[in-house]
């Protein structure tokens, strides 16, 4: 056997072992970062080693430092699992090693992205010609959408930012809710928009922007404006009221961007689409495929209504490349990159429109079950209005909530992650994996009940 075949055979065998063990291993890693540095560290070996034994050593050494994110009881942060078709496609993506930049060199990769981007727009009810750029995740999808926005709102006042940069440009107002995701601030920083550019708009108790406050924010300041709204607040899962907000932003001449890293997918479900009603009126949308859609890391998608706005922000010319007007590299901040469309194409083809709706409905139904069962545990309070996939719980005092969080991780049944919401310690459960069953939810609630009882 050649080196390549034996490396792949070993990877396949170790992958099967890992997947087979997901149901029984502790969900939180059993080894610390320091222990992993010991296991994987040391000086660079002088001599090489054959490929199969390297892959085998990696699988063995890394194992205790792996979180069971791909299993059904990981509810930390907002992290999806991996659909089987997307996982298989991801392996092929590595085997094929296509560079996702050019239609001429890698037409299959470019066509998969073009098709998958169109399918996403269709499933989410976005305008038909929406352009899609495939990036590493939600942060970069926000950056990409906001870069198109920055280009357009300055062009509209006669300032070509690609030519002149930002020095001396009319100042841009970036109008955001007080509960925007933190990555939005970083995306803005990449774009040369510092904190002084931010106009903060009040939100309600679950984190939804208030329409009256948006109106005031826009009318009390002047200049080119980008309004960034949110589909899915990371703690509560709350959605901004788009039908009220977007017309206000549009009346003020603003570009409207929507950060919908995991929430945008509500639009794919007839039963949940009321949460995103009106989003099709925005100019750009950012989402993740590695969260709700359950493709492996890393994959985010920037969707922009007018393709030219993206192209003007990102297209470059290089004398050794004969470009086509369809090149994926014109839609993203990267040049060479992974062909991210294959996994998304495979995920969507394996689900179909109805399967995608079922996936999103099921995540929300599991979250509702979580909330209902948690509410029955003595001493536990559900801290948000659970309308989508996010559930927060707390105990009667913050110290006990935090201690419960530590004990749940040590218990190993499931992962919930700590946070602070409205000044109180909470534990967050995000139901984001296709692999989560009702039994997973019930086992997790039982673990929470055990831990809370042990604190009493
Ligand atoms: C996760 C998340 C992001 C950032 O996405 P990454 O994929 O982690 O870069 C941005 N906004 C929201 C609302 C999120 O949930």
């Amino acid at each position: 056997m050649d080196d390549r075949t034996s490396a792949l055979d070993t990877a396949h065998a170790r992958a099967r072992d890992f997947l087979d063990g997901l149901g029984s291993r502790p969900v939180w890693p059993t080894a610390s970062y320091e222990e992993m540095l010991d296991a994987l560290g040391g000086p660079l070996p002088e001599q090489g080693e054959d490929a199969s034994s390297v892959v085998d050593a990696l699988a063995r050494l890394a194992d205790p430092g792996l979180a069971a994110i791909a299993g059904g009881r990981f509810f930390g942060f907002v992290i999806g699992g991996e659909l089987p078709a997307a996982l298989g496609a991801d392996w092929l993506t590595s085997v094929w090693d296509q560079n996702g930049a050019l239609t001429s060199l890698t037409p299959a990769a470019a066509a998969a992205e073009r098709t998958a981007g169109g399918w996403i727009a269709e499933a989410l009810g976005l305008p038909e010609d929406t352009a899609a750029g495939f990036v590493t995740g939600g942060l970069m999808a926000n950056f990409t959408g906001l870069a198109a926005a920055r280009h357009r709102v300055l062009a509209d006042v006669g300032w070509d930012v690609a030519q002149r940069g930002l020095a001396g440009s009319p100042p841009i107002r970036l109008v955001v809710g007080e509960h925007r995701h933190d990555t939005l601030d970083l995306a803005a920083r990449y774009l040369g928009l510092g904190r002084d550019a931010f106009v903060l708009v009040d939100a309600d108790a679950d984190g939804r922007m208030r329409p009256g406050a948006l109106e005031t924010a826009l009318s009390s300041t002047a200049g080119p404006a980008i309004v960034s709204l949110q589909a899915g607040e990371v703690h509560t899962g709350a959605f901004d009221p788009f039908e009220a907000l977007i017309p206000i932003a549009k009346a003020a001449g603003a570009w409207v961007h929507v950060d919908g890293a995991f929430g945008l997918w509500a639009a794919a479900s007839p039963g949940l689409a009321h949460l995103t009603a009106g989003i099709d009126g925005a100019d750009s949308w950012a989402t993740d495929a590695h969260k709700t859609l359950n493709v492996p890391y890393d994959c985010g998608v920037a969707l922009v209504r007018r393709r030219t706005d993206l192209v003007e922000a990102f297209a470059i010319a290089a004398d050794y490349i004969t470009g086509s007007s369809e090149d994926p590299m014109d839609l993203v901040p990267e040049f060479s990159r992974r062909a991210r469309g294959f996994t998304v194409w495979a995920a969507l083809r394996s689900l179909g429109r109805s399967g995608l709706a079922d996936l999103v409905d099921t995540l929300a139904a599991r979250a509702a079950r979580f909330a209902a069962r948690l509410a029955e545990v003595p001493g536990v309070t559900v801290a948000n209005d659970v309308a989508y996939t996010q559930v927060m719980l707390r105990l009667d005092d913050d110290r006990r909530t935090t201690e419960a969080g530590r004990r749940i991780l040590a218990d190993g049944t499931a992962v919930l992650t700590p946070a602070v919401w409205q000044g109180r310690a909470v534990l967050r459960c995000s139901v984001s994996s296709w692999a989560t069953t009702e039994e997973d939810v019930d086992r997790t609630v039982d673990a929470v009940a055990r831990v809370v009882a042990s604190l009493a």
Side-chain angles (χ1 to χ4, degrees):
M1 246 193 308
D2 67 31
D3 239 21
R4 202 142 61 175
T5 308
S6 59
L8 284 177
D9 285 352
T10 303
H12 185 221
R14 296 293 82 85
R16 300 263 322 242
D17 294 344
F18 178 74
L19 294 175
D20 290 347
L22 273 174
S24 49
R25 68 185 290 145
V27 182
W28 194 249
T30 52
S32 66
Y33 171 61
E34 288 72 24
E35 288 166 320
M36 280 294 103
L37 281 178
D38 284 343
L40 297 169
L44 174 64
E46 186 56 39
Q47 303 296 331
E49 192 180 329
D50 80 275
S52 172
S53 69
V54 170
V55 171
D56 197 59
L58 176 63
R60 183 168 37 79
L61 295 171
D63 192 79
L66 300 175
I69 288 172
R73 276 171 278 108
F74 186 94
F75 304 108
F77 311 101
V78 182
I79 290 189
E82 44 194 13
L83 286 167
L87 176 58
D90 197 53
W91 281 16
L92 285 181
T93 303
S94 290
V95 168
W96 292 337
D97 196 23
Q98 303 292 286
N99 182 328
L102 297 169
T103 53
S104 56
L105 172 68
T106 54
E113 284 191 5
R114 182 77 188 215
T115 304
W119 285 350
I120 291 173
E122 187 186 338
L124 302 182
L126 303 183
E128 203 176 322
D129 296 325
T130 297
F134 286 72
V135 292
T136 50
L139 164 61
M140 289 308 293
N142 279 318
F143 167 80
T144 304
L146 294 175
R150 183 187 68 165
H151 186 91
R152 174 52 44 210
V153 299
L154 288 178
D156 286 348
V157 293
W159 186 273
D160 178 357
V161 70
Q163 176 66 33
R164 304 174 76 178
L166 278 184
S169 79
I172 293 176
R173 294 174 290 162
L174 183 54
V175 183
V176 297
E178 53 175 334
H179 288 292
R180 69 197 174 282
H181 195 269
D182 302 299
T183 55
L184 215 82
D185 298 48
L186 184 53
R189 225 191 293 163
Y190 291 171
L191 287 161
L193 303 176
R195 289 193 196 94
D196 288 350
F198 281 71
V199 178
L200 293 195
V201 184
D202 279 354
D204 70 13
D206 270 324
R208 297 176 199 89
M209 190 186 282
R210 295 182 196 276
L214 176 63
E215 205 151 17
T216 309
L218 283 167
S219 61
S220 59
T221 54
I226 301 167
V227 173
S228 186
L229 306 178
Q230 184 163 256
E233 203 283 334
V234 77
H235 302 86
T236 63
F239 291 70
D240 282 340
F242 303 105
E243 272 178 317
L245 295 168
I246 292 179
I248 295 170
K250 285 281 146 197
W255 174 291
V256 179
H257 174 77
V258 178
D259 175 8
F262 64 96
L264 210 60
W265 299 91
S269 150
L272 294 167
H274 62 96
L275 296 169
T276 56
I279 48 158
D280 54 327
D283 299 290
S284 57
W285 307 263
T287 195
D288 266 320
H290 58 218
K291 291 178 180 171
T292 312
L293 187 59
N294 278 259
V295 311
Y297 282 97
D298 49 18
C299 190
V301 188
L303 299 142
V304 176
R305 174 185 292 271
R306 285 170 304 272
R307 185 184 172 85
T308 50
D309 290 334
L310 253 187
V311 171
E312 285 173 19
F314 289 114
I316 55 167
D319 63 6
Y320 65 102
I321 289 166
T322 330
S324 126
S325 61
E326 295 275 304
D327 284 337
M329 73 176 196
D330 290 350
L331 307 178
V332 293
E334 291 167 302
F335 201 56
S336 294
R337 68 180 167 86
R338 186 170 183 80
R340 299 200 178 91
F342 292 129
T343 55
V344 176
W345 183 91
L348 288 170
R349 181 161 166 157
S350 78
L351 292 167
R353 188 188 263 280
S354 65
L356 177 61
D358 286 348
L359 169 66
V360 181
D361 286 341
T362 302
L363 299 178
R366 301 273 183 268
R369 184 182 182 90
F370 236 124
R373 293 229 34 221
L374 282 171
E376 292 166 1
V377 178
V380 170
T381 303
V382 175
N384 63 313
D385 169 21
V386 179
Y388 191 52
T389 55
Q390 308 299 100
V391 184
M392 285 189 299
L393 68 95
R394 59 176 161 75
L395 308 188
D396 53 4
D397 79 71
D398 287 358
R399 213 176 27 81
R400 282 158 50 81
T401 304
T402 307
E403 179 56 23
R406 260 197 295 276
R407 292 192 191 186
I408 286 165
L409 297 188
D411 173 85
T413 305
V415 167
L416 317 184
T417 44
V420 174
W421 175 251
Q422 312 286 30
R424 299 282 314 262
V426 292
L427 297 176
R428 299 173 58 255
C429 334
S430 171
V431 185
S432 303
S433 175
W434 71 280
T436 297
T437 61
E438 282 193 350
E439 198 210 336
D440 287 321
V441 171
D442 292 348
R443 279 180 64 184
T444 303
V445 175
D446 291 347
V448 171
R450 245 191 340 265
V451 160
V452 172
S454 77
L455 284 170

